[in-house]
Amino acid sequence: MAFFSHDYEVFLLLAAPDAAPLWEAAQWAPFAASLDAIVAQAGTRGKTGVRSHQYNPKGKPIAFGRLGWDDKSHAKWTHTAETVDARFMSLEAWAPSWTTCEKDDQAPDLFLALANESLLGRAGKPLQFGQRLVCAIATDMGPDAAAALRQSLTQLAARQDAVVFARTRRPWGRAAYGGFTGAIQDMLIGGLFQPDDPHAQPLDAATFRERWTRIGQA
């Protein structure tokens, strides 16, 4: 089976503009803990890899070194009251890591991507949502794992007063030009919305590139 052809249950969460940032340690810790068992199951192929793009006040990237899915790594990149020189932009977590996926020629069993909307060219501009989060779990992880991920995200959506909480099912990517395109890993920044500004129009079906099914009242 090709790298990109596995099916995934994919979840999208757009947090309210005034929701507490998920990159704050106090918010991330309980969310990460709720995913620990799923990450461990996905990690049977290899260790989980995490990378975060953050910048200092001068706009220079901050180096965190090798990050995994553990308390020590979480403490390196999450923000606390003492964090004054870091501007969070985005985070990715791959289980197993991207290097293992490349070696295995198989997409990750679990993928998570988080972005700070204000650092995506919208600093100081009106926002309909302040954070975007995409989580994907391979269907061959089993229905219990997918249900556990959904439950964790449902709780997070409530805490963040999500303006959109939705799901879809799709492969990691779609065959094109001898390879693949439209990968889940690219959804967060360039693959969620139609070209128009999502903050300047209703967050309805016409705004999104893909068909999403809303979950609950979000």
Side-chain angles (χ1 to χ4, degrees):
M1 183 175 287
F3 181 99
F4 60 87
S5 58
H6 285 267
D7 279 338
Y8 288 79
E9 190 78 11
V10 186
F11 298 93
L12 170 65
L13 194 160
L14 303 179
D18 58 351
L22 191 54
W23 52 91
E24 289 184 353
Q27 302 299 318
W28 178 259
F31 176 63
S34 73
L35 299 182
D36 281 348
I38 309 171
V39 172
Q41 181 182 345
T44 55
R45 285 170 48 204
K47 292 182 178 180
T48 297
V50 175
R51 52 191 173 196
S52 180
H53 292 97
Q54 302 190 37
Y55 301 88
N56 67 23
K58 294 183 178 181
K60 294 184 178 180
I62 298 173
F64 295 101
R66 187 184 298 272
L67 296 173
W69 192 274
D70 53 69
D71 291 342
K72 183 177 180 181
S73 291
H74 298 332
K76 287 182 179 180
W77 68 264
T78 54
H79 292 197
T80 67
E82 287 71 44
T83 305
V84 295
D85 292 331
R87 306 292 184 267
F88 177 92
M89 182 176 180
S90 64
L91 175 85
E92 281 188 3
W94 294 56
S97 70
W98 47 90
T99 53
T100 299
C101 291
E102 183 177 4
K103 182 181 68 176
D104 293 348
D105 194 26
Q106 182 178 338
D109 294 326
L110 180 68
F111 175 79
L112 179 153
L114 170 69
N116 176 3
E117 202 67 17
S118 67
L119 261 66
L120 299 181
R122 297 203 60 85
K125 298 180 181 180
L127 298 176
Q128 290 201 81
F129 51 92
Q131 305 163 58
R132 53 177 82 175
L133 175 68
V134 170
C135 293
I137 187 167
T139 55
D140 55 14
M141 285 273 286
D144 290 346
L149 176 59
R150 177 168 174 160
Q151 177 62 24
S152 177
L153 292 170
T154 298
Q155 294 170 353
L156 178 65
R159 292 196 299 272
Q160 294 198 320
D161 195 19
V163 297
V164 171
F165 180 38
R167 58 159 297 278
T168 191
R169 182 166 175 164
R170 51 156 291 173
W172 181 261
R174 298 180 174 91
Y177 312 110
F180 65 95
T181 188
I184 288 174
Q185 73 190 75
D186 299 324
M187 290 180 74
L188 189 75
I189 304 301
L192 287 177
F193 303 107
Q194 298 291 352
D196 294 333
D197 180 4
H199 296 277
Q201 55 190 316
L203 293 173
D204 56 21
T207 301
F208 295 91
R209 288 181 181 269
E210 303 202 24
R211 180 176 297 178
W212 295 89
T213 300
R214 301 291 181 110
I215 299 173
Q217 300 300 314

